[in-house]
Amino acid sequence: GWQASTKSGSLSYILSCNRLPVQLISQVRVYTSNGQKKDLGSEDTNGATSEETLRKAGTGRQDTTNAGQKQPLLKEPIQVKVKAVLKKREYGPKYTKNNFITGVRAINEFCLKSSDLDQLRKIKRRSPHDDTETFTVYLRSDVEAKSLEVWGSPEALARERKRRKEAEIKYRENLFRNQRLLREYREFFGNTKPRSSAAAMFFKGPGKVVMVAICINGLNFFFKLLAWVYTGSASMFSEAIHSLADTCNQALLALGISQSARTPDPSHPYGFTNMRYIASLISGVGIFMMGAGLSWYHGIIGLLHPHPIESLLWAYCILAGSLVSEGATLLVAINEIRRSARAKGLSFYQYVVQSRDPSTNVVLLEDAAAVLSVAVAATCMGLTSLTGNPYYDSVGSLGVGTLLGTVSAFLIYTNTEALLGRSIQPEQLQRLTELLESDPVVRAIHDVKATDMGMSKVRFKAEVDFDGRVVTRSYLEKQDIEQLLQEIQQVKTPEELEAFMLKHGENIIDTLGAEVDRLEKDLKQRNPDVRHVDLEIL
């Protein structure tokens, strides 16, 4: 059992087995980093010294009659390990004033001139842009001091900022008027500038397909409209409406192609490539409302109020011409999609379903629907001619409307999926992942996302667990080892150690940033579709 003996200032618990007693002394001492010790107080009234703190008890069982007797204790030295740590620093606004600022921001935010920056300290830093390795930055504190020197006071600087802001707002308000005046000037004096890239897009690729379709469908609409006026056929009316819808939708596609060629600006940093998908989506909605809706309406009216149809000879001739012209446009679209699919390593069906080229897809589906609808209209008009029953013609109009509705539903679905930001193919994502994981500096990657931004542009994002040892070796390979050893040998105090670590720690962080830039550049070079890479350090 347990036996306890209580003394003034101490409490000892003695085990019944042959083990050392554990004695807890209430006296507390604090050992400082210089080896000194201070007594914070003691409850021992007998004045026991520190050497008498630990004593070894006898190995025999203690008798209850002499439990209060003191056992002889051996003197043992007390060993204390003191951990030296640096004082934690508080970083306030004064420290953050040493942040770097670019020359453009210094001029815009502090209302300075480029000549004012010539007198400031210039610091070379690693450039975040691919075209340059280094660029010049300035200390924010120097820029703030220079702005106060130029403007005299913070109030004067604030007034200048307000004045420039008002001037910028006024410029934006007058921008539309200036653009209109510029257009009038070009129309009056002639535009001698070379053909822009947006205009050149309509002479090759999807732009060429769209322009050919606009011309052919415009002519088809004109002749079909004349045939409907002459015959009064519901199927011919549906065909005329179909050609009009195709012409309007393809004009909308041409607008989307021209807008997608605009260069990125601060409001749209990733460009305007999605304008093609937006135009194709609106085109699908237009086909559904204008083409399918009017065809259904006219077919239902024909069923409710049938009327005899005049001679259909001219209608047959116009349908035959329309079949030839629509078929020619369809072949142009098919050849363009085959060429693009072959370049991407995809099948014809995959290229269409994934909506890789929305403008060409719209032309392909509209012309395919046009060829089929011509066949449906000709069949129903032939049955009406043979039987004299006008209901067949109305049923043909309903069939054409249903065909247009199916095409519009497919266009709406595929373009909506593209605008929502779908992922790339698993095989392509696996290639990008393996490329990163095969690099020695990468331990693992997590949370990988690769989004198809449209028109063969991919945005890749991943959280990367970097190997700090490889990064450090990469830094050491660029250093003079002898000089580095001399710097290490000169470190004697915590302050010198702190200065050494801060110097090389910042350089190692720069090396890590350079490794991130290298990985992003490799991804873009080996995968041309990848335009934007975001690697986050885990």
Side-chain angles (χ1 to χ4, degrees):
W2 286 85
Q3 294 179 357
S5 63
T6 307
K7 292 184 61 179
S8 176
S10 67
L11 177 64
S12 61
Y13 297 96
I14 304 176
L15 294 172
S16 59
C17 59
N18 295 334
R19 295 187 182 179
L20 291 177
V22 180
Q23 189 174 30
L24 302 179
I25 306 300
S26 60
Q27 186 175 5
V28 179
R29 293 184 178 88
V30 175
Y31 288 84
T32 61
S33 59
N34 56 7
Q36 298 178 352
K37 56 186 177 182
K38 295 187 292 185
D39 293 342
L40 298 183
S42 174
E43 297 178 359
D44 192 354
T45 58
N46 295 330
T49 61
S50 61
E51 289 81 0
E52 297 174 344
T53 317
L54 296 177
R55 292 194 173 111
K56 189 175 182 181
T59 58
R61 180 183 293 271
Q62 299 289 335
D63 190 76
T64 56
T65 58
N66 51 6
Q69 229 175 351
K70 244 184 192 183
Q71 299 296 330
L73 299 177
L74 287 177
K75 299 179 181 180
E76 292 184 0
I78 298 177
Q79 296 181 357
V80 179
K81 293 184 178 180
V82 179
K83 184 179 180 181
V85 295
L86 291 174
K87 181 182 178 181
K88 184 177 180 181
R89 293 192 177 185
E90 298 293 338
Y91 297 101
K94 183 178 180 181
Y95 183 83
T96 56
K97 285 186 178 180
N98 292 325
N99 291 350
F100 298 138
I101 186 173
T102 61
V104 175
R105 287 188 59 191
I107 293 175
N108 293 334
E109 296 181 12
F110 293 92
C111 305
L112 296 176
K113 300 178 182 178
S114 58
S115 58
D116 297 331
L117 303 180
D118 295 338
Q119 306 171 9
L120 303 181
R121 288 177 290 178
K122 299 178 178 63
I123 303 171
K124 293 291 184 179
R125 299 295 295 173
R126 185 175 53 85
S127 175
H129 307 291
D130 296 335
D131 53 350
T132 56
E133 295 184 357
T134 60
F135 74 130
T136 303
V137 294
Y138 304 88
L139 284 175
R140 189 180 186 91
S141 57
D142 292 348
V143 174
E144 291 178 351
K146 187 64 179 179
S147 64
L148 293 179
E149 176 186 343
V150 172
W151 296 103
S153 65
E155 292 76 13
L157 177 60
R159 288 195 298 270
E160 178 64 19
R161 286 175 175 171
K162 183 178 179 181
R163 186 191 66 81
R164 294 192 179 189
K165 187 67 176 178
E166 292 175 352
E168 181 181 358
I169 294 175
K170 185 177 181 181
Y171 169 77
R172 290 180 178 178
E173 291 175 350
N174 295 332
L175 182 62
F176 178 76
R177 182 175 60 87
N178 295 334
Q179 290 177 345
R180 182 169 55 83
L181 291 175
L182 182 60
R183 286 196 301 269
E184 294 177 356
Y185 173 84
R186 288 176 177 175
E187 291 175 359
F188 182 77
F189 290 99
N191 190 358
T192 58
K193 292 178 62 178
R195 184 183 292 119
S196 63
S197 58
M201 295 178 66
F202 293 104
F203 293 90
K204 61 181 180 179
K208 178 181 178 181
V209 175
V210 171
M211 293 306 296
V212 170
I214 288 176
C215 297
I216 291 179
N217 284 317
L219 292 175
N220 288 339
F221 165 70
F222 177 74
F223 288 113
K224 288 177 181 179
L225 185 64
L226 291 180
W228 171 70
V229 172
Y230 179 73
T231 62
S233 169
S235 297
M236 185 55 64
F237 175 79
S238 298
E239 279 299 307
I241 294 300
H242 183 186
S243 297
L244 176 61
D246 287 350
T247 305
C248 295
N249 290 328
Q250 285 151 8
L252 184 63
L253 294 178
L255 178 63
I257 291 175
S258 64
Q259 291 296 314
S260 66
R262 294 169 57 187
T263 56
D265 56 25
S267 300
H268 305 84
Y270 291 106
F272 298 86
T273 54
N274 282 339
M275 280 300 301
R276 294 195 182 191
Y277 292 98
I278 294 174
S280 299
L281 178 62
I282 298 174
S283 177
V285 176
I287 292 174
F288 183 81
M289 295 179 62
M290 190 173 179
L294 288 178
S295 296
W296 284 331
Y297 171 77
H298 207 74
I300 292 174
I301 293 298
L303 291 176
L304 296 176
H305 307 285
H307 59 84
I309 299 177
E310 302 294 334
S311 175
L312 299 177
L313 177 62
W314 285 104
Y316 291 139
C317 294
I318 292 175
L319 284 178
S322 176
L323 181 64
V324 174
S325 60
E326 297 283 4
T329 309
L330 179 62
L331 289 177
V332 172
I334 290 175
N335 292 332
E336 177 63 25
I337 290 180
R338 281 180 176 174
R339 184 185 63 80
S340 301
R342 194 180 306 113
K344 297 295 180 182
L346 300 174
S347 65
F348 185 90
Y349 175 77
Q350 290 176 334
Y351 192 88
V352 173
V353 171
Q354 295 176 13
S355 189
R356 293 282 180 166
D357 186 356
S359 303
T360 308
N361 275 2
V362 172
V363 175
L364 171 72
L365 296 175
E366 285 183 347
D367 289 338
V371 172
L372 293 176
S373 63
V374 166
V376 171
T379 302
C380 292
M381 290 170 59
L383 291 175
T384 300
S385 300
L386 292 176
T387 62
N389 187 354
Y391 286 107
Y392 290 109
D393 187 61
S394 299
V395 171
S397 180
L398 294 175
V400 171
T402 303
L403 187 61
L404 292 178
T406 304
V407 171
S408 65
F410 179 79
L411 290 176
I412 292 172
Y413 171 75
T414 55
N415 288 283
T416 301
E417 286 291 312
L419 288 173
L420 287 176
R422 62 193 172 191
S423 178
I424 62 176
Q425 294 300 309
E427 297 81 8
Q428 187 180 5
L429 182 60
Q430 183 66 23
R431 288 197 302 268
L432 295 175
T433 304
E434 291 176 353
L435 177 61
L436 278 180
E437 290 180 337
S438 62
D439 196 280
V441 79
V442 177
R443 278 180 175 169
I445 59 174
H446 309 277
D447 193 22
V448 180
K449 294 183 178 68
T451 306
D452 188 354
M453 300 174 60
M455 300 308 299
S456 301
K457 292 184 179 181
V458 175
R459 181 179 180 181
F460 182 83
K461 176 261 178 187
E463 293 189 2
V464 184
D465 184 5
F466 285 91
D467 192 335
R469 296 169 299 179
V470 177
V471 175
T472 305
R473 288 193 188 101
S474 177
Y475 170 69
L476 292 176
E477 290 172 357
K478 303 174 184 177
Q479 304 301 314
D480 186 351
I481 301 299
E482 295 295 334
Q483 181 181 356
L484 193 60
L485 287 175
Q486 293 177 3
E487 292 182 12
I488 295 174
Q489 294 171 359
Q490 292 174 359
V491 174
K492 304 297 182 183
T493 63
E495 290 75 13
E496 292 176 351
L497 177 62
E498 179 185 10
F500 176 83
M501 294 300 298
L502 290 177
K503 172 187 174 182
H504 292 282
E506 183 176 5
N507 294 337
I508 291 176
I509 293 299
D510 289 340
T511 304
L512 178 59
E515 292 293 335
V516 173
D517 293 341
R518 179 182 62 82
L519 291 175
E520 292 178 351
K521 188 175 181 180
D522 289 346
L523 284 175
K524 293 179 181 179
Q525 286 181 348
R526 300 188 185 185
N527 300 272
D529 290 347
V530 179
R531 303 296 180 88
H532 307 281
V533 181
D534 299 322
L535 298 182
E536 300 180 4
I537 302 174
L538 185 61

